[in-house]
Amino acid sequence: MGRKRCYLDLLFHRLKCRECGKLWWPAPGFLDGKHRYARSFALTVLDLLGLGTISSVAHYLRVGWDLIKEIHKSKLSRTYKTIPLQEINSIGIDEFSIKKGHEYMTIFTDLESGRIIHAVKGRAKEDIQPFLERLCKKAKNLKAIAMDMSGAYYHAVREALPRVDIVFDHYHVAALVNQAIDELRREQQRELDELGKKTLKGSRFLLLKNYDNLSVDRKERLHNLLSVNEPLFTAHCMKEQLRLFWEQPNPESARHFLETWCKDARESGIKVLARVGKTLPGYRTGFLNYFKHRISNAMTEGLNNKIKTLKRQAYGFRDMDYFILRLYHLHTQRYSLAG
């Protein structure tokens, strides 16, 4: 009661059936299953977990950390035993690193509610195939899936959900162009003299950041840099032009815009830019599907920050099942007080 620990000293009698001779122990209604704590204690723990971390709640109640975790895990297991898929219209697929050593986990997010509907360790085709097959059977309203340009994701979705449209995310298209610009900058820095290298030094983020987001002094520095380096000027202009693709009013104008941009990139005379111009047409359908569904994977990408915060609060997770349950509960998660 309050912070005073209270115990119930009970005397139980084992019961025996007169007909069959079976023996059993009675189950008091105030206990939580076969555990040695009352249901009211479990409810108190769950209430406190909305305000503090597992360690702080365990310290406050003067019990072990593992007991608090098991109470929470049991509650989450009951809550997320089945996640309804029938009303989902669009989902996002993304991966994140669970620990060092190239170990990843793939998450599926409902883009309307922002909740994670499935998480599985790995990012290969065989890892996500079982859930995609379940989506094919249960998610009858599913129209589109947003993802990056991963070959494993693309082929798995095409095989399991042939009628669902794939929408490639804005960020990964921009990242492809930024990678080409950064590669061009490094080539220029290797070939230029000492004065040219000094001019290019510290210019990486000037070239990669959106022009509209630069401050006035950084815009002036970028103008000075591009005025003396024609290849970088061309590549930067092409990068900024590609951002206008997502602002096209309809799929027809978007198709024409993309074809023109890719042609200009191939004819620019810049090797890394020409490579992008040859790559993008192969993903044309995924880009144009954006104008049909108007979705992106930004919400799924944004969940990565919440997941990082979750891992930092717990100093990592050894129980992978519990970690997945916490991911399912992440859409209701708020930053916890320390205690």
Side-chain angles (χ1 to χ4, degrees):
M1 296 181 180
R3 297 200 67 184
K4 186 175 180 61
R5 302 181 70 180
C6 301
Y7 297 90
L8 292 176
D9 188 5
L10 303 177
L11 178 62
F12 286 94
H13 295 280
R14 193 165 58 167
L15 306 180
K16 179 179 181 181
C17 179
R18 292 180 177 178
E19 297 181 0
C20 65
K22 181 180 178 181
L23 298 173
W24 75 93
W25 290 99
F30 56 84
L31 292 183
D32 189 2
K34 296 182 179 180
H35 300 292
R36 297 181 62 178
Y37 53 79
R39 288 182 178 175
S40 58
F41 176 79
L43 293 176
T44 301
V45 167
L46 295 173
D47 288 341
L48 291 175
L49 284 174
L51 301 174
T53 62
I54 292 178
S55 297
S56 61
V57 173
H59 176 73
Y60 176 77
L61 296 176
R62 300 179 184 179
V63 295
W65 178 93
D66 54 341
L67 175 60
I68 304 299
K69 190 205 85 168
E70 287 302 321
I71 292 175
H72 195 209
K73 182 179 179 180
S74 177
K75 170 63 176 177
L76 294 180
S77 298
R78 294 191 300 268
T79 303
Y80 299 106
K81 184 177 181 180
T82 57
I83 297 178
L85 304 174
Q86 292 79 6
E87 303 300 324
I88 294 178
N89 295 314
S90 58
I91 64 175
I93 306 177
D94 194 26
E95 80 277 352
F96 65 92
S97 174
I98 51 179
K99 57 183 176 180
K100 295 181 180 179
H102 300 286
E103 292 193 32
Y104 294 89
M105 178 172 282
T106 299
I107 57 174
F108 295 79
T109 308
D110 181 0
L111 295 181
E112 293 184 358
S113 65
R115 63 180 296 181
I116 297 174
I117 58 175
H118 186 69
V120 61
K121 189 175 180 181
R123 57 176 179 175
K125 178 181 176 181
E126 56 271 16
D127 297 323
I128 65 174
Q129 195 79 26
F131 181 70
L132 292 176
E133 293 174 356
R134 185 147 61 96
L135 282 175
C136 183
K137 296 178 181 178
K138 296 186 177 182
K140 300 300 182 182
N141 293 330
L142 184 61
K143 300 295 188 300
I145 297 180
M147 65 175 73
D148 58 25
M149 293 183 286
S150 166
Y153 290 168
Y154 178 82
H155 292 298
V157 172
R158 278 277 68 87
E159 182 177 329
L161 300 164
R163 297 183 181 180
V164 175
D165 292 333
I166 293 177
V167 180
F168 291 125
D169 189 52
H170 300 41
Y171 169 79
H172 295 279
V173 179
L176 194 64
V177 182
N178 284 342
Q179 183 180 356
I181 292 179
D182 197 36
E183 188 175 339
L184 176 62
R185 179 190 61 83
R186 291 196 298 268
E187 289 179 0
Q188 293 286 309
Q189 198 154 10
R190 286 194 297 266
E191 296 174 1
L192 293 176
D193 54 18
E194 291 300 323
L195 180 61
K197 291 180 180 179
K198 187 176 180 180
T199 304
L200 277 179
K201 185 177 181 180
S203 63
R204 180 170 182 246
F205 292 104
L206 284 177
L207 296 167
L208 301 184
K209 197 171 183 179
N210 292 340
Y211 182 78
D212 297 338
N213 297 333
L214 292 175
S215 59
V216 176
D217 56 334
R218 287 181 173 272
K219 285 182 180 179
E220 183 178 356
R221 185 186 172 192
L222 179 62
H223 291 163
N224 295 335
L225 171 64
L226 298 181
S227 63
V228 296
N229 195 310
E230 184 176 352
L232 284 178
F233 173 78
T234 302
H236 186 269
C237 289
M238 293 289 291
K239 178 192 74 123
E240 292 296 318
Q241 288 175 7
L242 187 59
R243 292 173 54 203
L244 301 176
F245 170 76
W246 310 105
E247 301 177 8
Q248 300 304 306
N250 53 64
E252 290 73 21
S253 60
R255 182 186 298 273
H256 177 70
F257 182 97
L258 184 62
E259 291 176 352
T260 303
W261 190 94
C262 291
K263 181 181 178 182
D264 292 342
R266 292 193 297 269
E267 296 175 355
S268 64
I270 302 174
K271 185 177 178 181
V272 292
L273 205 56
R275 186 173 66 232
V276 177
K278 295 177 181 178
T279 301
L280 293 185
Y283 300 93
R284 181 189 299 109
T285 304
F287 300 149
L288 297 178
N289 281 337
Y290 167 77
F291 299 93
K292 181 179 178 181
H293 301 281
R294 298 287 178 175
I295 63 172
S296 72
N297 216 18
M299 182 178 294
T300 310
E301 297 280 353
L303 283 175
N304 286 340
N305 290 327
K306 276 192 170 185
I307 294 172
K308 290 178 182 177
T309 302
L310 176 65
K311 290 194 297 183
R312 282 198 298 268
Q313 283 184 330
Y315 293 94
F317 286 84
R318 290 174 293 177
D319 187 342
M320 192 56 60
D321 293 334
Y322 179 56
F323 179 51
I324 291 176
L325 289 171
R326 291 293 298 268
L327 292 179
Y328 294 159
H329 197 59
L330 197 59
H331 65 289
T332 65
Q333 184 73 30
R334 300 294 181 267
Y335 291 108
S336 300
L337 300 177

